[in-house]
Amino acid sequence: MDVEYKGKDTIIHNLKDFDLGQTMECGQCFHFQKIDDDEYGMSAYGKFLHAAQKDDKMYLFDTTKEEFEKIWCHYFDLDRDYGEIKSFLLKEDEKLREAVEKMWGVRILNQEFFETLISFIISQNKQIPHIKQIVARISHDYGKYQGSVGGIDFYGFPTPQQLSQADIDALRECKTGFRAPYIYNAVEFVNNEIIKEENLRKCGVDECREQLMKIKGVGMKVANCVSLFGLGYREAFPVDVWIKRIMQSLYFDGEEHSNAEIESYGVEHFGKYGGYAQQYLFYYGKSEKIGLKNKTN
DNA sequence: CGCCAGGGCACCG
DNA sequence: CGGTGCCATGGC
């Protein structure tokens, strides 16, 4: 990977194991909009980014060197060697190969803790387009305007302080439904420092999940997603309906198993890279509708 | 129209 | 503890 700063733009050359579209659309992140093929607007860390990919080059428009080095390089996980991750995962597992090869350009984004926490509380029992809609609405109502592209305005996800301005009814106005008190509870936990990001990052994934699950509305699946996507625990293996389907289909001969059984199999089988395996499998299984009863393909 | 969605909780035995 | 119904809202 080589980085060029040209005028107001940053251009990354010789990208490996990275596809912008796959990385945005794979279901880990909800704060972005597709502008065109391989072209996206997104928001993270209080900044707005307009990015486009062509072959092994990515253009970050109107981005300074400092911003790239401080935010986007880390956000896209560009410092990590995904070749090593893939060979580790595929070394003794042929069942994973097709998922990794089809979803070859997925990287696990390093997202902000608070936004990840609230976003995945929202995600329960919802489809991705609607989660995106709610995240955009909360950002619009409580966050700061950051910029616009393709006629779409982007607002930063509110800080814990900003979101504390919303009471439960106001959160319901954002179409969060029965999750409104959950979000309210989570905001209180963060603002009252009942949970602290700094501590969650260093206490280990088991303790981290346990603390997150003290929040009403955060169960095992959401706690795993927050640990993986928002706190850097790459060994976390969240099990949702899709992972359940594809794991049962690939590793359990189609037999029914509990989420807990599937998670402990994933943790043991994929080890320190469980989160990556999970994401390849999730995106692949969902795209191919693997394990779904009324298959359309 | 009915079903299900990147679930979790309360309540039941 | 393992199973079941319910929770708001929208996409298909």
Side-chain angles (χ1 to χ4, degrees):
Chain A
M1 173 179 103
D2 306 295
V3 186
E4 175 191 3
Y5 303 99
K6 189 174 179 183
K8 297 190 334 189
D9 303 333
T10 300
I11 308 168
I12 307 159
H13 300 263
N14 300 318
L15 280 163
K16 287 187 187 67
D17 302 302
F18 177 79
D19 183 81
L20 180 61
Q22 288 183 354
T23 297
M24 300 318 292
E25 306 282 359
C26 73
Q28 60 179 322
C29 163
F30 310 106
H31 205 158
F32 69 92
Q33 286 297 136
K34 183 173 179 174
I35 309 299
D36 203 340
D37 286 343
D38 303 310
E39 183 174 356
Y40 288 84
M42 68 200 79
S43 165
Y45 295 92
K47 294 284 182 186
F48 157 72
L49 176 64
H50 174 199
Q53 180 171 21
K54 183 148 177 52
D55 303 319
D56 64 349
K57 290 188 198 33
M58 179 158 67
Y59 299 81
L60 310 184
F61 300 110
D62 211 3
T63 306
T64 64
K65 176 177 184 196
E66 192 189 357
E67 255 176 49
F68 174 72
E69 289 176 349
K70 265 184 69 180
I71 300 176
W72 304 118
C73 185
H74 180 244
Y75 180 68
F76 288 112
D77 209 28
L78 294 177
D79 281 330
R80 210 180 297 258
D81 180 3
Y82 276 65
E84 194 256 326
I85 293 167
K86 289 176 181 177
S87 60
F88 176 91
L89 288 173
L90 295 177
K91 195 161 48 189
E92 293 178 7
D93 185 355
E94 277 304 311
K95 294 174 177 176
L96 196 56
R97 181 168 299 279
E98 192 169 335
V100 173
E101 284 179 354
K102 286 209 173 171
M103 303 313 177
W104 61 272
V106 168
R107 281 178 184 251
I108 303 280
L109 298 170
N110 292 293
Q111 301 182 64
E112 285 176 279
F113 163 64
F114 182 64
E115 173 167 350
T116 310
L117 173 62
I118 303 301
S119 298
F120 278 93
I121 289 174
I122 293 166
S123 79
Q124 60 182 264
N125 226 65
K126 279 216 161 300
Q127 300 178 105
I128 291 169
H130 195 216
I131 303 166
K132 287 177 63 180
Q133 221 171 291
I134 295 172
V135 168
R137 172 70 186 267
I138 289 178
S139 301
H140 172 269
D141 286 9
Y142 297 97
K144 204 175 120 201
Y145 174 76
Q146 294 177 324
S148 108
V149 63
I152 304 163
D153 292 334
F154 285 82
Y155 294 81
F157 195 82
T159 64
Q161 278 223 319
Q162 287 171 325
L163 200 50
S164 72
Q165 301 304 304
D167 60 20
I168 295 183
D169 281 337
L171 290 168
R172 281 212 180 87
E173 300 266 314
C174 299
K175 309 298 179 190
T176 54
F178 63 86
R179 306 158 194 79
Y182 298 166
I183 298 168
Y184 188 82
N185 186 226
V187 173
E188 276 195 313
F189 264 62
V190 173
N191 278 323
N192 297 338
E193 299 191 326
I194 301 170
I195 54 171
K196 289 189 217 165
E197 176 177 358
E198 192 190 337
N199 183 259
L200 294 174
R201 280 188 182 276
K202 61 187 180 197
C203 66
V205 70
D206 294 331
E207 167 72 15
C208 175
R209 268 191 310 245
E210 200 173 305
Q211 287 198 35
L212 289 171
M213 282 164 58
K214 288 191 212 154
I215 301 168
K216 192 170 173 179
V218 177
M220 191 55 116
K221 191 270 174 183
V222 170
N224 267 319
C225 284
V226 177
S227 300
L228 172 58
F229 301 127
L231 292 166
Y233 288 107
R234 300 303 220 249
E235 67 269 45
F237 192 84
V239 178
D240 72 317
V241 289
W242 284 106
I243 285 294
K244 184 176 162 71
R245 284 176 195 141
I246 187 167
M247 289 291 286
Q248 284 174 176
S249 161
L250 281 183
Y251 294 95
F252 293 95
D253 205 25
E255 293 166 20
E256 183 71 21
H257 285 266
S258 74
N259 286 19
E261 284 177 295
I262 291 170
E263 184 185 339
S264 56
Y265 183 89
V267 166
E268 191 175 327
H269 192 65
F270 303 120
K272 62 179 178 178
Y273 291 152
Y276 302 99
Q278 190 271 359
Q279 202 54 31
Y280 289 125
L281 286 169
F282 172 81
Y283 192 25
Y284 170 70
K286 196 161 116 64
S287 315
E288 310 274 324
K289 303 185 191 313
I290 289 174
L292 208 62
K293 282 168 190 160
N294 300 330
K295 260 200 227 186
T296 52
N297 55 346

